[in-house]
């Protein structure tokens, strides 16, 4: 009703309804490199297309004459009632698309009650976001650093910032092969926009200062390839330097910003992360831990055996392994493996309320939205994100009712037929 009323009384003309026009409009307003970074995927983008095509292999078979005039779209997740089976997934470097970045998303999330998952690569620190969210639900997504001390610090901060759960992303121990970004020489620029969780962290600062102070240390080769001195790399450095307080801001040649870049590159990810690290994490927090990027049912089973609390079936939006199985295609086996023991979430390819419906009918407890809310953000900041959320939830609510349901837990694969 709210969505229809807004249609009648006026909604922001800047945010079209429907993913196709939303993305087209966002493309028009965004810098070409920023658009490519968000829109792009790994390799030939086969998996990114497969994520969408997988939805077309299922059709809904609606039921009629079941009074569905009063409906409840809410679900319970880790002891908290959410307005819909929907979260805003962790999306880093959002400053590329809008100056308010994560803050606008945090406000939109708080206004709708849909949880926001703070990205480890956020453009704003989790504390800044939490400060504008009141008691609204938020989670934190972690990339495993080479520094366990930094991991511990980030976890402590997430707990203090009121996060209800941790999401450990496992599919991005190294960045995927992304031709659009490689072509545009864009990555250093994008990385520079996603460092707020680091520059706001006392452990990170200490590591940087130690590196800057160490004789010769700033010239030693970093563990990861250093950005070439392209204009984009210089911009990344400027961003990094700006985020750093005090007198170093203006002096790009000063050792501290430089040490910050090198420290970041050498610690932001540890590709050797293993199950033992997760045991270590399990001992350090009481928060529910979900593993993101799980596609194999055996990994899902192992996750629960190791004390994890759930998984997010995800291909990272098709940005990591080209030709990997589509997330929706992987969902039924993972649900069969662990669905009775723990929540299975899904992302990658969710574009509408009908998609949410399909994923939930196949056993997802909730889904995460990625690119669509970034397009809303690009077009109209907080209001754009709010509109994208309310469009998705509004369509989900209608689909629920028009197929003869009044509550989310009534959905099961019985309402679907395989058609592709
Ligand atoms: C992401 N994603 C992501 N995931 C994560 O765990 N940490 C992160 O920092 C990011 N950053 C990020 C940036 C951008 C620009 C995109 C598009 C995606 C992946 C994200 O959480 C989610 O898995 C996908 O976006 C879901 O797929 P769709 O909805 O974009 O198809």
């Amino acid at each position: 009703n709210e969505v229809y009323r807004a249609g009648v009384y006026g909604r922001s003309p800047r945010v079209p309804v429907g993913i196709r026009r939303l993305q087209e409009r966002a493309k028009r307003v965004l810098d070409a490199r920023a658009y490519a970074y968000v829109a792009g995927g790994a390799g030939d983008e086969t998996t990114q297309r497969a994520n969408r095509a997988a939805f077309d292999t299922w059709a809904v078979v609606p039921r009629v004459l079941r009074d569905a005039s009063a409906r409840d779209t809410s679900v319970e997740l880790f002891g908290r009632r959410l307005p819909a089976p929907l979260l805003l997934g962790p999306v880093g470097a959002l400053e590329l698309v809008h100056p308010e970045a994560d803050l606008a998303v945090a406000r939109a999330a708080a206004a709708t009650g849909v949880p926001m998952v703070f990205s480890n690569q956020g453009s704003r620190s989790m504390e800044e976001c939490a400060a504008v969210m009141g008691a609204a639900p938020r989670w934190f997504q972690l990339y495993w650093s080479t520094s366990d001390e930094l991991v511990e610090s980030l976890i402590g901060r997430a707990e203090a910032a009121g996060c209800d759960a941790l999401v450990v992303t496992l599919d991005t121990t190294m960045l995927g092969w992304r031709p659009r970004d490689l072509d545009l020489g864009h990555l250093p620029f994008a990385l520079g926009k996603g460092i707020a969780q680091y520059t706001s962290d006392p452990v990170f600062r200490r590591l940087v200062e130690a590196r800057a102070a160490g004789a010769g240390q700033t010239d030693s080769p970093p563990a990861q390839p250093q950005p070439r001195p392209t204009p984009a790399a210089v911009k990344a450095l400027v961003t990094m330097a700006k985020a750093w307080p005090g007198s170093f801001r203006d002096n790009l040649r000063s050792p501290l910003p430089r040490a910050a870049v090198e420290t970041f590159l050498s610690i932001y990810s540890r590709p050797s992360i293993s199950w033992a690290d997760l045991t270590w994490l399990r001992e350090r927090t009481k928060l529910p831990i979900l593993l993101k990027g799980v596609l194999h049912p055996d990994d899902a089973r192992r996750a629960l055996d190791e004390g994890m609390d759930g998984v997010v079936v995800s291909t990272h939006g098709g940005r990591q392994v080209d030709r990997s199985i589509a997330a929706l295609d992987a969902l039924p086996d993972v649900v069969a493996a662990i669905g009775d023991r723990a929540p299975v979430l899904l992302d990658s390819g969710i574009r509408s309320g009908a998609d949410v419906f399909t994923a939930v009918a196949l056993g997802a407890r909730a889904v995460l939205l990625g690119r669509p809310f970034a397009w809303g953000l690009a077009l109209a900041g907080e209001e754009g994100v709010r509109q994208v959320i309310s469009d998705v939830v509004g369509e989900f609510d209608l689909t629920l009712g028009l197929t003869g349901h009044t509550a989310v837990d009534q959905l099961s694969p019985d309402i679907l037929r395989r058609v592709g």
Side-chain angles (χ1 to χ4, degrees), residues 90 92 119 141 143 169 292 314 316-317 319 347-349 351 370-371:
S119 164
Q141 173 263 323
Y143 281 135
T169 299
K292 177 169 181 276
S314 169
H316 212 101
R319 295 163 75 79
D347 75 26
S348 301
R351 296 292 175 269
R371 294 178 183 88

Side-chain angles (χ1 to χ4, degrees), residues 100-288:
E100 287 168 31
D102 312 61
L103 279 184
V105 178
R107 288 196 193 97
T112 56
V114 165
M116 172 178 180
V117 186
F118 299 149
S119 164
N120 201 142
Q121 304 303 122
S123 297
R124 296 287 180 278
S125 72
M126 59 182 114
E127 289 83 2
E128 281 177 272
C129 292
V132 301
M133 292 185 78
R138 75 292 304 248
W139 297 6
F140 175 67
Q141 173 263 323
L142 177 81
Y143 281 135
W144 207 280
S145 167
T146 53
S147 161
D148 285 347
E149 213 190 339
L150 179 64
V151 172
E152 216 163 2
S153 174
L154 289 167
I155 299 309
R157 289 172 56 199
E159 288 172 342
C163 294
D164 293 325
L166 300 176
V167 176
V168 184
T169 299
L170 298 175
D171 56 20
T172 312
T173 53
M174 299 166 280
L175 268 188
W177 184 259
R178 301 181 188 169
R180 295 204 217 190
D181 293 337
L182 294 168
D183 268 352
L184 294 168
H186 182 47
L187 272 182
F189 182 46
L191 288 178
K193 295 285 188 189
I195 54 168
Q197 309 293 12
Y198 299 87
T199 50
S200 57
D201 193 282
V203 172
F204 182 75
R205 284 161 183 270
R206 199 153 35 69
L207 292 170
V208 171
E209 273 149 20
R211 188 181 275 258
Q217 282 241 10
T218 51
D219 293 326
S220 65
Q224 301 277 338
Q226 218 183 340
R228 274 180 285 150
T230 57
V234 172
K235 247 180 175 165
L237 209 59
V238 173
T239 311
M240 177 79 87
K242 272 194 189 144
W244 205 259
S247 58
F248 299 101
R249 245 177 221 179
D250 306 321
N251 187 357
L252 280 180
R253 290 209 181 76
S254 92
L256 201 51
R258 200 171 152 188
V261 171
E262 292 185 10
T263 305
F264 170 72
L265 288 171
S266 65
I267 69 167
Y268 84 99
S269 171
R270 176 144 66 74
S272 66
I273 179 178
S274 70
W275 290 107
D277 294 309
L278 295 171
T279 311
W280 177 91
L281 179 65
R282 179 69 290 168
E283 286 162 6
R284 273 162 185 77
T285 182
K286 291 196 169 59
L287 288 180

